[in-house]
Amino acid sequence: MARIFSGVKPTGHLTLGNYLGAIRRWAERDQHSAEALFCVVDLHALTVEHDPARVRRLSRQAATLLLAAGLDPDVCTVFVQSHVDEHTRLSYLLECTATDGEMRRMIQYKEKAARERARGGSVRLSLLTYPVLMAADILAYRAEEVPVGEDQAQHVELTRDLAVRFNQRYGPTFTVPRATHPAVAARVMDLQDPTSKMGKSHDATGGIVYLLDDPDVVRRKIMRAVTDSGRDVEYDRVARPGPANLLDVLAACGDGDPRELAGAYGSYGALKSDVADAVIELLRPVRERHAELSADPGQVDAVLKEGAARARAMARPVVDAAYDAVGLLPAG
Ligand code: TRP
């Protein structure tokens, strides 16, 4: 059985985009078809200015939502990155494998660093080294597959390069992983800005449906989604991104085909209303389960503790082997 690893960063509330683009598939498919690890990558939330209380709250919420969305701790391993020291232990060895030029070429680094500098802020060194920690997340488990969005493809490519380089220099130690991208509904776009991804760290929130939004808030956001002045409903991702996004979401909620669905609507109002109904129904069980789990935080803590123990047991021998391979004395 293949081993897969993926992570969610607790930098914002999880969105419909996270759910349809990744988490739903982890729950419905990936956890059953592979030996799967799903990680709340909290260390990655510290690469930009952060509020400790908020990171703490969002980490717990992300873990609770993963369970609410159907990740089953009897079937897969759900844990928090900072609970397993092997990630940072290995990250250092990979810093000794990667080059600074390689890091500075990362698109996400360039964009985020430029944004931070434009605001007059300083760029944390960890923002530059972030992809190395991500590589460590993956390589510590000898994961073969990494289900992620397209925006993470470059980081997984780097992970592959580091694994190959390390293996060549020091002997076979790591499995070379590959990114897998879901074929459909990989990208849910912002309802107010349908040419950019519905991201949990987007500044304006009117175009973002959060998994824990109240149903009336979900409805309001969808009814206000940007469309265009066209009179008919047609599926065209390039020329008509707003309506296409709504059709994609509707299709993803019901497993339909967005092109066929377009033909069923005579107005945007009717389309939006059906999209709102479908999304509210889709999220209802997740919200309900989240409420139940939140009422018993001890249960979530126990799952995370058990998950970390399992993850540690998998990662420890791999990272020990890497320490040994580069010439560090065994601790005995
Ligand atoms: N960088 C990923 C993101 O921003 C999160 C992440 C961290 C991740 N470590 C990972 C994803 C390991 C997959 C595997 O979404």
Side-chain angles (χ1 to χ4, degrees), residues 5-9 41 44 108 130 134 137-138 146 148 152 155:
F5 184 102
S6 200
V8 284
K9 219 170 21 169
V41 287
H44 289 291
Q108 222 171 54
Y130 173 120
M134 176 165 165
D137 297 339
I138 298 164
V146 187
V148 282
Q152 295 300 313
H155 293 158

PDB file of all heavy atoms in Angstrom, residues 5-9 41 44 108 130 134 137-138 146 148 152 155, ligand 1:
ATOM      1  N   PHE A   5       1.355  11.512   2.402  1.00  0.00           N
ATOM      2  CA  PHE A   5       1.460  12.528   3.446  1.00  0.00           C
ATOM      3  C   PHE A   5       0.911  13.824   2.893  1.00  0.00           C
ATOM      4  O   PHE A   5       1.223  14.223   1.777  1.00  0.00           O
ATOM      5  CB  PHE A   5       2.939  12.739   3.823  1.00  0.00           C
ATOM      6  CG  PHE A   5       3.128  13.715   4.964  1.00  0.00           C
ATOM      7  CD1 PHE A   5       3.384  13.254   6.248  1.00  0.00           C
ATOM      8  CD2 PHE A   5       3.019  15.090   4.761  1.00  0.00           C
ATOM      9  CE1 PHE A   5       3.539  14.149   7.309  1.00  0.00           C
ATOM     10  CE2 PHE A   5       3.166  15.984   5.810  1.00  0.00           C
ATOM     11  CZ  PHE A   5       3.436  15.511   7.088  1.00  0.00           C
ATOM     12  N   SER A   6       0.059  14.495   3.690  1.00  0.00           N
ATOM     13  CA  SER A   6      -0.299  15.858   3.308  1.00  0.00           C
ATOM     14  C   SER A   6      -0.494  16.696   4.553  1.00  0.00           C
ATOM     15  O   SER A   6      -0.609  16.164   5.661  1.00  0.00           O
ATOM     16  CB  SER A   6      -1.529  15.895   2.408  1.00  0.00           C
ATOM     17  OG  SER A   6      -1.541  17.136   1.712  1.00  0.00           O
ATOM     18  N   GLY A   7      -0.502  18.004   4.357  1.00  0.00           N
ATOM     19  CA  GLY A   7      -0.580  18.890   5.507  1.00  0.00           C
ATOM     20  C   GLY A   7      -1.484  20.088   5.267  1.00  0.00           C
ATOM     21  O   GLY A   7      -1.654  20.514   4.131  1.00  0.00           O
ATOM     22  N   VAL A   8      -2.052  20.593   6.350  1.00  0.00           N
ATOM     23  CA  VAL A   8      -2.775  21.884   6.284  1.00  0.00           C
ATOM     24  C   VAL A   8      -2.122  22.840   7.279  1.00  0.00           C
ATOM     25  O   VAL A   8      -1.787  22.468   8.393  1.00  0.00           O
ATOM     26  CB  VAL A   8      -4.278  21.792   6.631  1.00  0.00           C
ATOM     27  CG1 VAL A   8      -5.060  21.200   5.514  1.00  0.00           C
ATOM     28  CG2 VAL A   8      -4.524  21.052   7.924  1.00  0.00           C
ATOM     29  N   LYS A   9      -1.994  24.077   6.812  1.00  0.00           N
ATOM     30  CA  LYS A   9      -1.323  25.100   7.597  1.00  0.00           C
ATOM     31  C   LYS A   9      -2.359  25.876   8.406  1.00  0.00           C
ATOM     32  O   LYS A   9      -3.327  26.369   7.828  1.00  0.00           O
ATOM     33  CB  LYS A   9      -0.646  26.055   6.601  1.00  0.00           C
ATOM     34  CG  LYS A   9       0.684  26.524   7.026  1.00  0.00           C
ATOM     35  CD  LYS A   9       1.433  27.268   5.938  1.00  0.00           C
ATOM     36  CE  LYS A   9       0.651  27.870   4.807  1.00  0.00           C
ATOM     37  NZ  LYS A   9       1.392  28.771   3.950  1.00  0.00           N
ATOM     38  N   VAL A  41       0.280  21.427  10.050  1.00  0.00           N
ATOM     39  CA  VAL A  41       1.687  21.847  10.017  1.00  0.00           C
ATOM     40  C   VAL A  41       1.843  23.210  10.694  1.00  0.00           C
ATOM     41  O   VAL A  41       1.998  24.236  10.045  1.00  0.00           O
ATOM     42  CB  VAL A  41       2.253  21.819   8.571  1.00  0.00           C
ATOM     43  CG1 VAL A  41       2.469  20.376   8.119  1.00  0.00           C
ATOM     44  CG2 VAL A  41       1.330  22.504   7.575  1.00  0.00           C
ATOM     45  N   HIS A  44       4.827  25.737  10.234  1.00  0.00           N
ATOM     46  CA  HIS A  44       4.781  26.545   9.013  1.00  0.00           C
ATOM     47  C   HIS A  44       3.977  27.837   9.210  1.00  0.00           C
ATOM     48  O   HIS A  44       4.067  28.741   8.392  1.00  0.00           O
ATOM     49  CB  HIS A  44       4.169  25.736   7.866  1.00  0.00           C
ATOM     50  CG  HIS A  44       5.061  24.644   7.355  1.00  0.00           C
ATOM     51  ND1 HIS A  44       6.215  24.887   6.660  1.00  0.00           N
ATOM     52  CD2 HIS A  44       4.981  23.304   7.447  1.00  0.00           C
ATOM     53  CE1 HIS A  44       6.802  23.741   6.331  1.00  0.00           C
ATOM     54  NE2 HIS A  44       6.067  22.754   6.805  1.00  0.00           N
ATOM     55  N   GLN A 108       6.649  30.875  -4.326  1.00  0.00           N
ATOM     56  CA  GLN A 108       5.880  31.332  -3.178  1.00  0.00           C
ATOM     57  C   GLN A 108       6.733  32.229  -2.271  1.00  0.00           C
ATOM     58  O   GLN A 108       6.252  33.218  -1.737  1.00  0.00           O
ATOM     59  CB  GLN A 108       5.353  30.140  -2.394  1.00  0.00           C
ATOM     60  CG  GLN A 108       3.924  30.339  -1.950  1.00  0.00           C
ATOM     61  CD  GLN A 108       3.334  29.070  -1.353  1.00  0.00           C
ATOM     62  OE1 GLN A 108       3.867  28.470  -0.443  1.00  0.00           O
ATOM     63  NE2 GLN A 108       2.194  28.666  -1.888  1.00  0.00           N
ATOM     64  N   TYR A 130      11.320  27.493   4.597  1.00  0.00           N
ATOM     65  CA  TYR A 130      10.043  26.775   4.664  1.00  0.00           C
ATOM     66  C   TYR A 130       9.984  25.531   3.770  1.00  0.00           C
ATOM     67  O   TYR A 130       9.588  24.448   4.231  1.00  0.00           O
ATOM     68  CB  TYR A 130       8.962  27.799   4.277  1.00  0.00           C
ATOM     69  CG  TYR A 130       7.550  27.337   4.092  1.00  0.00           C
ATOM     70  CD1 TYR A 130       6.534  27.864   4.885  1.00  0.00           C
ATOM     71  CD2 TYR A 130       7.183  26.419   3.115  1.00  0.00           C
ATOM     72  CE1 TYR A 130       5.215  27.479   4.708  1.00  0.00           C
ATOM     73  CE2 TYR A 130       5.880  26.021   2.938  1.00  0.00           C
ATOM     74  CZ  TYR A 130       4.899  26.555   3.730  1.00  0.00           C
ATOM     75  OH  TYR A 130       3.614  26.163   3.563  1.00  0.00           O
ATOM     76  N   MET A 134       9.143  21.595   4.727  1.00  0.00           N
ATOM     77  CA  MET A 134       8.091  20.824   4.045  1.00  0.00           C
ATOM     78  C   MET A 134       8.675  19.535   3.463  1.00  0.00           C
ATOM     79  O   MET A 134       8.043  18.467   3.544  1.00  0.00           O
ATOM     80  CB  MET A 134       7.448  21.673   2.946  1.00  0.00           C
ATOM     81  CG  MET A 134       6.427  20.935   2.132  1.00  0.00           C
ATOM     82  SD  MET A 134       5.396  22.057   1.149  1.00  0.00           S
ATOM     83  CE  MET A 134       4.668  20.879   0.005  1.00  0.00           C
ATOM     84  N   ASP A 137       8.987  17.140   6.233  1.00  0.00           N
ATOM     85  CA  ASP A 137       7.672  16.567   6.578  1.00  0.00           C
ATOM     86  C   ASP A 137       7.422  15.298   5.759  1.00  0.00           C
ATOM     87  O   ASP A 137       6.930  14.293   6.270  1.00  0.00           O
ATOM     88  CB  ASP A 137       6.532  17.546   6.235  1.00  0.00           C
ATOM     89  CG  ASP A 137       6.581  18.851   7.021  1.00  0.00           C
ATOM     90  OD1 ASP A 137       7.215  18.876   8.088  1.00  0.00           O
ATOM     91  OD2 ASP A 137       5.973  19.841   6.541  1.00  0.00           O
ATOM     92  N   ILE A 138       7.740  15.398   4.499  1.00  0.00           N
ATOM     93  CA  ILE A 138       7.411  14.325   3.554  1.00  0.00           C
ATOM     94  C   ILE A 138       8.441  13.187   3.630  1.00  0.00           C
ATOM     95  O   ILE A 138       8.088  12.013   3.731  1.00  0.00           O
ATOM     96  CB  ILE A 138       7.362  14.896   2.119  1.00  0.00           C
ATOM     97  CG1 ILE A 138       6.257  15.968   2.014  1.00  0.00           C
ATOM     98  CG2 ILE A 138       7.158  13.784   1.087  1.00  0.00           C
ATOM     99  CD1 ILE A 138       6.369  16.850   0.782  1.00  0.00           C
ATOM    100  N   VAL A 146       2.044  12.743  -2.450  1.00  0.00           N
ATOM    101  CA  VAL A 146       1.726  13.946  -1.701  1.00  0.00           C
ATOM    102  C   VAL A 146       0.548  14.636  -2.390  1.00  0.00           C
ATOM    103  O   VAL A 146       0.735  15.341  -3.388  1.00  0.00           O
ATOM    104  CB  VAL A 146       2.950  14.907  -1.656  1.00  0.00           C
ATOM    105  CG1 VAL A 146       2.678  16.074  -0.726  1.00  0.00           C
ATOM    106  CG2 VAL A 146       4.208  14.161  -1.224  1.00  0.00           C
ATOM    107  N   VAL A 148      -1.626  17.404  -3.071  1.00  0.00           N
ATOM    108  CA  VAL A 148      -1.606  18.850  -2.791  1.00  0.00           C
ATOM    109  C   VAL A 148      -2.181  19.620  -3.975  1.00  0.00           C
ATOM    110  O   VAL A 148      -2.326  19.087  -5.068  1.00  0.00           O
ATOM    111  CB  VAL A 148      -0.161  19.375  -2.568  1.00  0.00           C
ATOM    112  CG1 VAL A 148       0.344  19.042  -1.186  1.00  0.00           C
ATOM    113  CG2 VAL A 148       0.785  18.855  -3.635  1.00  0.00           C
ATOM    114  N   GLN A 152       1.500  23.933  -4.803  1.00  0.00           N
ATOM    115  CA  GLN A 152       2.566  23.292  -4.033  1.00  0.00           C
ATOM    116  C   GLN A 152       3.467  22.409  -4.898  1.00  0.00           C
ATOM    117  O   GLN A 152       4.383  21.754  -4.387  1.00  0.00           O
ATOM    118  CB  GLN A 152       1.969  22.447  -2.903  1.00  0.00           C
ATOM    119  CG  GLN A 152       1.238  23.270  -1.859  1.00  0.00           C
ATOM    120  CD  GLN A 152       2.162  24.275  -1.196  1.00  0.00           C
ATOM    121  OE1 GLN A 152       3.266  23.937  -0.796  1.00  0.00           O
ATOM    122  NE2 GLN A 152       1.722  25.524  -1.107  1.00  0.00           N
ATOM    123  N   HIS A 155       7.225  22.998  -4.612  1.00  0.00           N
ATOM    124  CA  HIS A 155       7.813  22.536  -3.353  1.00  0.00           C
ATOM    125  C   HIS A 155       8.009  21.013  -3.350  1.00  0.00           C
ATOM    126  O   HIS A 155       8.994  20.512  -2.799  1.00  0.00           O
ATOM    127  CB  HIS A 155       6.933  22.945  -2.164  1.00  0.00           C
ATOM    128  CG  HIS A 155       6.892  24.429  -1.940  1.00  0.00           C
ATOM    129  ND1 HIS A 155       5.869  25.056  -1.262  1.00  0.00           N
ATOM    130  CD2 HIS A 155       7.752  25.401  -2.320  1.00  0.00           C
ATOM    131  CE1 HIS A 155       6.116  26.355  -1.221  1.00  0.00           C
ATOM    132  NE2 HIS A 155       7.245  26.585  -1.859  1.00  0.00           N
TER     133      HIS A 155
HETATM  134  N1  TRP B   1       3.045  24.085   2.151  1.00  0.00           N
HETATM  135  C1  TRP B   1       1.736  23.511   2.207  1.00  0.00           C
HETATM  136  C2  TRP B   1       0.700  24.593   1.958  1.00  0.00           C
HETATM  137  O1  TRP B   1       0.995  25.749   2.056  1.00  0.00           O
HETATM  138  C3  TRP B   1       1.460  22.870   3.540  1.00  0.00           C
HETATM  139  C4  TRP B   1       2.423  21.752   3.818  1.00  0.00           C
HETATM  140  C5  TRP B   1       3.461  21.776   4.692  1.00  0.00           C
HETATM  141  C6  TRP B   1       2.429  20.472   3.209  1.00  0.00           C
HETATM  142  N2  TRP B   1       4.106  20.596   4.701  1.00  0.00           N
HETATM  143  C7  TRP B   1       3.509  19.773   3.810  1.00  0.00           C
HETATM  144  C8  TRP B   1       1.631  19.865   2.234  1.00  0.00           C
HETATM  145  C9  TRP B   1       3.815  18.480   3.416  1.00  0.00           C
HETATM  146  C10 TRP B   1       1.949  18.562   1.848  1.00  0.00           C
HETATM  147  C11 TRP B   1       3.028  17.864   2.436  1.00  0.00           C
HETATM  148  O2  TRP B   1      -0.433  24.266   1.681  1.00  0.00           O
END
